[in-house]
Amino acid sequence: WVIRKTLLFGEVALDGNGPPAILQALSLHLSPITQLAMIGRHYNYEYEAPLGKAFGSTSHNRAETGLYITLQHIFSRSVEGGVYFDYYLLHTPTYRLDAPVQALDFGSHLLWRMGRYNALKLSYAFRDKPTNRSDDIHYKRIRDLHTHRLQVLWQYNPSKRANCKTGMIWQMSSYSSPKEQYQGVLLYQDLSFKWWNDRIALHLRAAYFDTDRYDERLYAYEDDVYYAFTIGSYYYQGIRGYAVLRFKYRFLSLWLRLSRTHYLNKDCVGSGLSEIDKPHKTELRVQMMWSW
């Protein structure tokens, strides 16, 4: 339904096991530069949808009730920002959580366009979600976990054929009962170049990461071959780099990707049959596409 500047939409799903799953949303233009959106969800604990990918904090879309609110505002021609708030209830145990709990997610971002080819983005996210204690293998007690995440991204183009991107991600996890604190940081530099009417393109990345544990791992999008989508996972201590070369001429397209991760605090990589008895791992991908 559209009522003036308000858009109402939603979905109700049944699977035959009991009460339905409900997803309802509202989008409201408060002004030409301010927009408000709300999403309410309720997935019954008996609801089953193995292929469902509805909005929610978990991947199975069941036993969850929540309200998500976001506000976007344009402050000026060069500055815009937004905030979001998500409060939800998990009615049954889930991954690393052996009891029903309530959780809260909050985040904000600010984008400053300093020029036509120069932009700076600041993002902050906070999560208050309990988790299992790992000190007792027989009885999983629950303790509070507060996660803070700060991201800075600066993108600039020194020329028409070159693009640079500098990023920093910092995360801190704070536990209670007992009190513990762990941190992680990721620094990366991206460079991309194009030649010969964009027929040849080269993407480069150099990254340094340092996290106290695997649970503080950090993620960053990586360029890959055609039809491939990669989000790199950075954890422990080390450096990582990759290069993606693309060549395209008429009906022939060729991609070449070489990546390498070197850990500074490990003597081997992986486990089991995939274990490498060296502190580094190298991957090579080659792809060719012929169009007619």
Side-chain angles (χ1 to χ4, degrees):
W1 295 271
V2 179
I3 306 176
R4 293 186 178 180
K5 297 182 180 181
T6 304
L7 173 63
L8 302 174
F9 58 96
E11 181 180 356
V12 178
L14 288 169
D15 68 341
N17 293 333
I22 302 174
L23 180 67
Q24 299 294 322
L26 175 150
S27 179
L28 173 62
H29 288 272
L30 301 178
S31 70
I33 60 175
T34 305
Q35 184 174 0
L36 173 69
M38 302 174 61
I39 301 177
R41 61 192 186 273
H42 175 71
Y43 309 133
N44 190 269
Y45 70 93
E46 296 180 348
Y47 179 73
E48 296 288 347
L51 301 180
K53 297 297 180 183
F55 182 88
S57 63
T58 61
S59 59
H60 46 69
N61 298 139
R62 62 185 299 268
E64 179 180 346
T65 302
L67 175 64
Y68 177 88
I69 302 174
T70 180
L71 179 67
Q72 306 290 330
H73 181 73
I74 300 176
F75 297 96
S76 66
R77 296 182 61 182
S78 58
V79 179
E80 64 181 71
V83 297
Y84 71 86
F85 172 89
D86 190 14
Y87 176 76
Y88 53 95
L89 305 175
L90 301 178
H91 303 294
T92 59
T94 183
Y95 175 67
R96 299 185 64 181
L97 191 56
D98 292 351
V101 299
Q102 58 184 4
L104 170 67
D105 288 351
F106 169 80
S108 62
H109 76 274
L110 183 67
L111 177 62
W112 178 24
R113 295 184 177 91
M114 297 175 286
R116 186 175 181 181
Y117 302 105
N118 200 348
L120 178 65
K121 184 177 182 180
L122 304 177
S123 303
Y124 169 75
F126 169 77
R127 169 170 289 184
D128 180 6
K129 183 179 180 181
T131 185
N132 290 339
R133 293 180 56 174
S134 57
D135 53 354
D136 191 342
I137 62 176
H138 301 289
Y139 179 69
K140 298 296 185 181
R141 291 174 290 179
I142 305 299
R143 62 174 178 174
D144 292 332
L145 169 61
H146 295 166
T147 304
H148 303 266
R149 180 186 177 94
L150 178 65
Q151 182 174 1
V152 180
L153 181 61
W154 180 29
Q155 186 171 355
Y156 51 97
N157 296 1
S159 67
K160 295 182 179 180
R161 299 185 180 275
N163 179 273
C164 299
K165 186 184 299 183
T166 303
M168 187 278 293
I169 305 176
W170 171 81
Q171 179 173 304
M172 182 183 69
S173 302
S174 178
Y175 295 86
S176 64
S177 302
K179 292 185 177 181
E180 296 177 333
Q181 193 174 93
Y182 303 95
Q183 300 186 39
V185 63
L186 167 64
L187 304 172
Y188 63 92
Q189 176 66 56
D190 289 355
L191 299 173
S192 62
F193 305 93
K194 294 181 180 180
W195 301 280
W196 197 19
N197 296 329
D198 296 342
R199 292 188 177 93
I200 300 178
L202 177 64
H203 300 268
L204 304 172
R205 167 172 291 183
Y208 169 78
F209 53 93
D210 185 357
T211 66
D212 294 335
R213 307 179 307 167
Y214 176 76
D215 291 343
E216 280 66 51
R217 61 193 178 276
L218 301 169
Y219 297 94
Y221 174 80
E222 297 183 355
D223 291 302
D224 210 320
V225 299
Y226 197 52
Y227 288 125
F229 182 80
T230 301
I231 297 181
S233 177
Y234 301 82
Y235 52 90
Y236 298 136
Q237 299 176 8
I239 56 178
R240 175 174 171 80
Y242 70 81
V244 180
L245 178 63
R246 187 204 68 193
F247 173 78
K248 185 177 182 180
Y249 183 72
R250 293 186 178 179
F251 46 79
L252 178 65
S253 299
L254 179 65
W255 286 266
L256 176 65
R257 186 180 195 268
L258 178 64
S259 62
R260 183 181 180 92
T261 304
H262 186 90
Y263 293 93
L264 304 178
N265 63 336
K266 299 175 63 176
D267 296 328
C268 62
V269 181
S271 61
L273 298 178
S274 61
E275 181 176 344
I276 303 174
D277 58 349
K278 293 181 180 180
H280 53 78
K281 180 180 180 180
T282 304
E283 293 181 332
L284 176 64
R285 295 183 182 181
V286 180
Q287 184 182 79
M288 184 181 68
M289 183 172 65
W290 188 285
S291 303
W292 69 91

